[in-house]
Amino acid sequence: MLRCLAPRQLLSALPLASWRVTAAVATRERQQLRALPAAQLGGSGGGSGPSAAATLVGTAPRALQPYLRLMRLDKPIGTWLLYLPCTWSIGLAAEPGCLPDMSMLTLFGIGAILMRGAGCTINDMWDKDIDRKVARTENRPIAAGEISRSQAFVFLGGQLSLALAVLLCLNYYSIALGAASLGLVVTYPLMKRLTYWPQLILGLTFNWGALLGWSAVKGSCDWSICLPLYISGVMWTLIYDTIYAHQDKADDILVGVKSTALKFQEQTKQWLLGFSTVMLTGLTVVGLNSEQTLPYYAAVAAVGAHLAHQISSLDINNPQDCWKKFCLNRILGLVLFSGIVFGNLWKGKTKTDETEKVQS
């Protein structure tokens, strides 16, 4: 069990010049988090009331509700962020002039729900003692004693079994590729104890669908497209999860876990701008290598503007603002997906026009 760090340990963990500021911010953030309604600490939209998903979970049988909350079905933003890179890849793999494969989008949607639920279960099993000390997570089912670790383990087995059934619907290449991600899923929760870069490991995990979606449609990865798409996704995760981690700075310092929020501190916005630049560069390379068209590049430009707004208006010392900015990334992901779809349809129209010119 991790214990709270002593003052001298805290002083050695952070630069002396920034410690007084960090401690003051930590105290204020803890007070802000305690004062926030539960819905604002975990809803999908950051509004003042519970999300539709949270309301739906609340209507389920009482014995089932802790398991649904363990899967974070009441907080679907994480599932969206896992699912969206899959949609980008599936959309890019569609034939010119065609819509993405709806059966694949559905299959990957089911898989995202199951794997996000499994990842959250693993995370909460590892972090039971930490979660009890963090304002935002103290009411999670395992930390609160609603579900035991043994019950969670059985539930995890059920989720992984269903996820395997989904994976087995894909081709052999994709089955092997999907299975290769399991190590990241299991080890990610440990990274916050070992490195200030757990958000990077989360990015490597959450964006595996950028590889898997393409291979599920095409039979294997085209690395000239899949690799820059994957790197862009990893950069995106570093952006939104660093913002997310700023909610927990106070408690992270006290329980001794690490994050990019603690590493970057007041330099966070400069780092986020750097990640944004790499992300947009990667998306441009994806467009060039996949012969994308105007709607795609318009969407990439909109993504850049969206990121600029997020970063410029971000208040890293306001947990409520961090949560709202984090949730905005669902819109960003959907904008890019829309650009991919319309860009592909435009591509089909362009090829048709060229064919007609040749024939005439």
Side-chain angles (χ1 to χ4, degrees):
M1 179 184 298
L2 291 173
R3 58 184 175 81
C4 294
L5 295 177
R8 287 185 180 178
Q9 291 172 300
L10 284 172
L11 285 169
S12 65
L14 292 170
L16 181 60
S18 64
W19 164 242
R20 291 177 182 174
V21 174
T22 304
V25 169
T27 302
R28 187 171 77 239
E29 285 182 358
R30 286 180 66 84
Q31 293 170 343
Q32 288 176 322
L33 281 169
R34 295 286 182 186
L36 287 176
Q40 293 186 17
L41 291 174
S44 64
S48 60
S51 67
T55 301
L56 184 62
V57 168
T59 63
R62 187 170 297 274
L64 191 59
Q65 287 183 26
Y67 293 94
L68 299 180
R69 287 190 286 108
L70 181 60
M71 292 180 71
R72 309 288 198 274
L73 289 185
D74 57 329
K75 303 170 186 175
I77 180 62
T79 303
W80 276 106
L81 297 176
L82 177 61
Y83 178 54
L84 283 165
C86 307
T87 69
W88 303 342
S89 191
I90 293 169
L92 287 165
E95 293 298 320
C98 296
L99 291 169
D101 188 325
M102 293 305 298
S103 63
M104 282 295 175
L105 289 174
T106 302
L107 201 62
F108 274 73
I110 296 169
I113 292 170
L114 291 169
M115 286 307 297
R116 198 254 177 151
C120 289
T121 302
I122 294 169
N123 182 80
D124 290 7
M125 289 171 68
W126 281 118
D127 287 355
K128 175 183 177 181
D129 298 323
I130 292 177
D131 285 346
R132 287 174 172 172
K133 302 173 184 177
V134 177
R136 189 178 52 81
T137 62
E138 62 188 357
N139 291 320
R140 287 178 175 173
I142 297 177
E146 296 178 86
I147 298 175
S148 68
R149 274 197 172 122
S150 59
Q151 289 172 320
F153 186 77
V154 172
F155 184 55
L156 173 64
Q159 292 175 89
L160 291 176
S161 297
L162 292 173
L164 177 61
V166 171
L167 186 63
L168 292 176
C169 295
L170 307 180
N171 55 61
Y172 290 125
Y173 183 100
S174 299
I175 292 172
L177 184 63
S181 69
L182 192 58
L184 287 170
V185 174
V186 173
T187 58
Y188 158 68
L190 292 174
M191 293 300 107
K192 69 187 76 170
R193 298 164 171 83
L194 304 176
T195 175
Y196 280 102
W197 291 89
Q199 282 70 28
L200 175 60
I201 309 304
L202 180 67
L204 296 173
T205 307
F206 250 49
N207 292 281
W208 206 258
L211 309 177
L212 195 57
W214 182 282
S215 71
V217 175
K218 296 289 193 180
S220 63
C221 286
D222 180 343
W223 293 105
S224 69
I225 297 171
C226 294
L227 186 58
L229 184 66
Y230 182 58
I231 292 172
S232 295
V234 173
M235 293 299 106
W236 183 44
T237 302
L238 278 165
I239 294 165
Y240 66 66
D241 208 57
T242 296
I243 293 173
Y244 183 89
H246 271 285
Q247 297 178 100
D248 296 334
K249 288 182 296 187
D251 292 308
D252 287 350
I253 291 170
L254 292 174
V255 301
V257 298
K258 304 173 182 178
S259 72
T260 49
L262 289 179
K263 181 173 181 63
F264 302 157
Q265 298 189 57
E266 297 304 316
Q267 301 300 312
T268 290
K269 291 190 177 184
Q270 291 90 320
W271 280 92
L272 297 185
L273 286 172
F275 297 145
S276 299
T277 301
V278 177
M279 178 184 180
L280 294 171
T281 301
L283 291 176
T284 302
V285 172
V286 168
L288 294 172
N289 290 344
S290 60
E291 299 180 345
Q292 272 294 339
T293 54
L294 180 61
Y296 173 83
Y297 292 108
V300 172
V303 165
H306 196 290
L307 288 171
H309 167 71
Q310 278 192 56
I311 295 168
S312 64
S313 62
L314 174 66
D315 181 356
I316 60 172
N317 296 320
N318 183 336
Q320 195 170 358
D321 185 60
C322 291
W323 175 255
K324 289 180 178 178
K325 295 298 191 302
F326 170 74
C327 290
L328 284 176
N329 282 278
R330 177 176 60 177
I331 297 173
L332 184 152
L334 289 171
V335 167
L336 182 58
F337 176 61
S338 298
I340 291 170
V341 172
F342 286 110
N344 210 46
L345 293 175
W346 185 299
K347 190 193 304 184
K349 181 180 181 299
T350 302
K351 288 185 179 294
T352 300
D353 292 342
E354 290 176 353
T355 302
E356 289 175 352
K357 287 181 180 179
V358 170
Q359 291 175 345
S360 62

